[in-house]
């Protein structure tokens, strides 16, 4: 019996004393003052960043029972551009991206998923591209527990294939994942990127995907 108890304690070690904040989604140790301070700082910045006050001029491109998708274009009013910049900063921070300037800033299209609670809970940034490289399947994909750790080390084919639209960022708020928000963002992008046509999954490409991004993209493109 002792052995069993010990096992349970070990298995739970990683999250021992850890709490997940129900509003910002950060996991931290409430009993650790340093952790707590870090949480307070992150919490405010994050919630301020995703707050959506409603805009006088907003381009609603899709509407759902649990929210809507708003499209922001480069020449939109300052308040819209500023919100996109704030959200992108949070996303880049989470993805560990350095501040990168887009290649054609005046052709970037940003789709924001706005929840019923008036929060930006999803973001997709797309830009026109001419070609993409397919990710080659990894031999050890299914049984490799370390695949989360080989961050962005996928093998790419060196044969380019024509593509139209590159997804430079896709992100969904931690507490809203697996509710098909990313899927709806990509569906909406395919519908709105080029006027009058619905892009095929061959015509869109995910740039530098994370492990999460790759799992999503694989699933999305096969269904
Ligand atoms: N693990 C396994 N399968 C997944 C995962 C995952 N983490 N995420 C999505 N899928 C698959 C599932 O099959 C899912 O369908 P199901 O829930 O019915 O099984 C299907 O994809 C559709 O998923 P959605 O619910 O639409 O995806 P979600 O809204 O959760 O967003 C995303 C996915 C954007 C990758 C999210 O996990 C996220 O924001 N992660 C952190 C940021 C990130 O890594 N973004 C990708 C960066 S790469 C780039 O920007 C080009
Ligand atoms: Zn919090």
């Amino acid at each position: 019996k002792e052995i069993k108890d010990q096992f349970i304690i070990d298995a739970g070690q990683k999250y021992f004393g850890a709490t997940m904040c129900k509003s910002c989604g950060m996991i931290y140790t409430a009993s650790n003052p340093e952790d707590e301070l870090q949480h307070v700082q992150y919490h405010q910045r994050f919630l301020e960043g995703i707050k959506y006050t409603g805009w006088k001029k907003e381009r609603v491109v899709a509407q759902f029972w649990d929210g809507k998708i708003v499209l922001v274009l480069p020449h939109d009013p300052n308040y819209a551009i500023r919100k996109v910049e704030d959200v992108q900063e949070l996303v880049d921070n989470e993805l560990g991206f350095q501040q990168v300037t887009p290649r054609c800033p005046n052709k970037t299209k940003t789709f924001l998923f706005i929840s019923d609670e008036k929060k930006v809970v999803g973001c997709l940034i797309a830009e026109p591209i001419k070609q993409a490289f397919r990710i080659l399947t990894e031999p050890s994909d299914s049984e490799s527990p370390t695949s989360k750790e080989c961050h962005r080390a996928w093998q790419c084919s060196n044969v380019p294939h024509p593509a139209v639209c590159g997804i430079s960022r896709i992100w969904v708020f931690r507490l809203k994942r697996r509710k098909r928000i990313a899927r709806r963002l990509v569906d909406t992008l395919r519908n709105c990127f080029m006027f009058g046509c619905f892009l095929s999954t061959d015509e869109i490409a995910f740039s530098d995907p994370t492990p999460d991004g790759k799992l999503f993209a694989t699933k999305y493109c096969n269904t």
Side-chain angles (χ1 to χ4, degrees), residues 21 23-26 39 43:
C21 174
S23 1
C24 75
M26 180 172 167
H39 169 238
H43 185 93

Side-chain angles (χ1 to χ4, degrees), residues 169-170 172 177-178 180 182-183 207 210 212 215 219:
R169 304 280 192 295
I170 182 157
V172 171
R177 288 186 191 157
R178 305 304 284 270
R180 317 210 137 207
R183 181 180 282 280
S207 75
T210 58
D212 270 352
L215 286 166
K219 180 74 183 181

Side-chain angles (χ1 to χ4, degrees), residues 96-156:
F97 281 177
Q98 304 299 332
Q99 197 68 52
V100 275
T101 36
R103 264 162 299 167
C104 320
N106 57 352
K107 287 186 181 154
T108 304
K109 293 189 162 86
T110 305
F111 296 82
L112 301 176
F113 193 105
I114 315 289
S115 72
D116 284 344
E117 306 102 61
K118 292 191 174 296
K119 289 187 179 119
V120 179
V121 296
C123 172
L124 186 161
I125 304 178
E127 56 189 5
I129 54 168
K130 295 215 167 64
Q131 58 180 35
F133 299 88
R134 285 220 164 76
I135 291 176
L136 304 171
T137 34
E138 299 144 273
S140 59
D141 216 10
S142 53
E143 24 92 40
S144 155
T146 55
S147 69
K148 276 253 174 193
E149 284 146 40
C150 334
H151 211 61
R152 295 175 204 157
W154 328 114
Q155 280 257 341
C156 278

Side-chain angles (χ1 to χ4, degrees), residues 128-136 156-167 199-207 221:
I129 54 168
K130 295 215 167 64
Q131 58 180 35
F133 299 88
R134 285 220 164 76
I135 291 176
L136 304 171
C156 278
S157 145
N158 43 22
V159 186
H161 78 93
V164 175
C165 169
I167 296 177
L199 295 181
S200 75
T201 52
D202 260 356
E203 291 169 308
I204 58 172
F206 294 79
S207 75
C221 293

